[in-house]
Amino acid sequence: MFTGKPILAVPLGDAAGIGPEIIAKLCANGFLMEHAKPILVGDESVLKRGMKDTGSDFAYVVKETMEEAVEEAKKETGLVLLNTKSLDASKVEIAVVSAVNGKEEADNLVMIMDYCKKGLVEGFCFGPLNKAAMKKGGYNFESEHELFAQELGVMDKPHGEMNVLDGLWTSRATSHIPLKDVSAHLTPKTVGDAINLAYETLKRAGYEDPKVAIAAINPHGGDSGTCGREEIDVLQPAVAKANAEGKSIVGPFPSDTLFIRAFKGDFDAVVTMYHDQGQIALKLKGFERGVTVAAGQPYAITTPAHGTAYDIAGTGTCTTSAFETAYKLCAKMAVTDRTYGKQ
């Protein structure tokens, strides 16, 4: 049984991006060990390159198996690296989308999920991943969230990406589809699933009674059906059903004013109807601080929302604030899962 700080895997992410640099900085200042029992996962040469690029210096113990790494991490005496021996950093071209790097980072994630299922680690906070590299590397998924769902057996259950900024969470009823197809994909079930996913994920994150608002899809919320009927025919019934189940759900509200209230703290989460409806609001508010949560998965999984940042990779100038928030949230969710129960 897990006790104390959670055991979390920390894969380095795309070797051509800023993940190794972020993690090196947070190893050097002690942040990772402060909040969990971390196990770095990746090729040692990539970690060393991250240290060199950032001018960081710290001690760590190298282990060849996860079992050995877990036993070392439990001691809480220092950092431990599970050396995958999966890349040669001298051959990695910085800031370039690479099939080799994409396969390596996805292979590491699959391996870590297997260790989660074996009960060795409680979750993972991963360095920024490049979706194009992952696809080039043979993992032909819409995003890493579908990879997680397949490996963890939740493809037939609500799952997907949630974003968090300064305590405000967002999820969406549709994601990576053309805007012209959004309305056809909105049904009481799909919207209801998005509501439930947001609500249950916040419960796992420690919210006792999350207050969730729903964004309208049409201008002015449809103007009582004169500017679209999705609010009347789909969104309002989904909200009513969720409230009948005991959840604190409000809306739908026009999205051009909803986020003003949300950023003031009126709601814990907003369920949007399409990808950019919430992403624009959050990224304008604080692009470098946002966090992505893999919602609906049976283990705590988080990452920074800002991506691999190829434009500054290798310069050592990356900021660490988003990863810090993602890591602390992952640790909190992992501990909550011990009592709340997995999805």
Side-chain angles (χ1 to χ4, degrees), residues 157-178:
K157 299 178 181 178
H159 65 272
E161 177 181 337
M162 288 193 70
N163 297 106
V164 191
L165 177 69
D166 298 342
L168 177 66
W169 296 61
T170 63
S171 68
R172 44 194 184 251
T174 68
S175 191
H176 298 104
I177 63 172

Side-chain angles (χ1 to χ4, degrees), residues 69-288:
V70 167
E71 290 307 310
E72 188 68 31
K74 286 178 178 177
K75 299 176 185 177
E76 296 189 67
T77 55
L79 290 162
V80 56
L81 167 70
L82 175 61
N83 185 15
T84 58
K85 300 180 181 178
S86 48
L87 277 181
D88 180 350
S90 67
K91 297 180 180 179
V92 172
E93 191 172 357
I94 295 296
V96 172
V97 175
S98 161
V100 173
N101 297 347
K103 183 179 186 305
E104 190 261 355
E105 60 183 324
D107 284 348
N108 288 343
L109 293 174
V110 170
M111 177 181 65
I112 290 167
M113 285 186 278
D114 187 51
Y115 292 135
C116 286
K117 290 185 284 187
K118 290 179 178 178
L120 292 172
V121 297
E122 296 175 83
F124 55 96
C125 180
F126 59 100
L129 173 149
N130 187 282
K131 292 178 177 61
M134 181 183 75
K135 292 175 182 178
K136 284 178 176 288
Y139 286 85
N140 193 26
F141 293 90
E142 178 183 294
S143 73
E144 66 270 27
H145 298 276
E146 285 68 43
L147 171 62
F148 299 156
Q150 175 174 288
E151 292 297 318
L152 297 176
V154 296
M155 270 292 198
D156 60 343
K157 299 178 181 178
H159 65 272
E161 177 181 337
M162 288 193 70
N163 297 106
V164 191
L165 177 69
D166 298 342
L168 177 66
W169 296 61
T170 63
S171 68
R172 44 194 184 251
T174 68
S175 191
H176 298 104
I177 63 172
L179 189 59
K180 67 182 179 64
D181 297 334
V182 168
S183 182
H185 282 76
L186 296 179
T187 67
K189 182 182 187 307
T190 59
V191 175
D193 285 347
I195 291 171
N196 291 336
L197 182 63
Y199 187 87
E200 294 301 326
T201 302
L202 264 70
K203 292 277 283 186
R204 288 178 66 185
Y207 291 77
E208 185 175 340
D209 183 25
K211 188 170 185 180
V212 180
I214 305 303
I217 184 173
N218 292 303
H220 305 162
D223 274 338
S224 299
T226 63
C227 187
R229 290 193 54 87
E230 286 87 351
E231 287 75 20
I232 295 171
D233 297 338
V234 178
L235 305 188
Q236 291 174 10
V239 169
K241 184 176 185 295
N243 283 322
E245 296 168 349
K247 301 178 178 70
S248 298
I249 314 299
V250 293
F253 301 122
S255 59
D256 59 351
T257 55
L258 170 56
F259 278 96
I260 296 173
R261 296 181 59 189
F263 285 129
K264 287 180 179 179
D266 288 359
F267 316 114
D268 299 312
V270 174
V271 176
T272 61
M273 296 302 109
Y274 57 91
H275 184 278
D276 288 356
Q277 193 175 30
Q279 292 291 78
I280 291 172
L282 262 62
K283 290 185 177 183
L284 279 172
K285 186 75 172 179
F287 178 72
E288 292 185 346

Side-chain angles (χ1 to χ4, degrees), residues 23-32 34 56-58 320 324:
I23 292 167
K25 285 186 176 184
L26 295 178
C27 287
N29 68 15
F31 178 87
L32 296 183
E34 180 182 351
S56 302
D57 185 33
F58 52 88
T320 62
E324 291 171 23

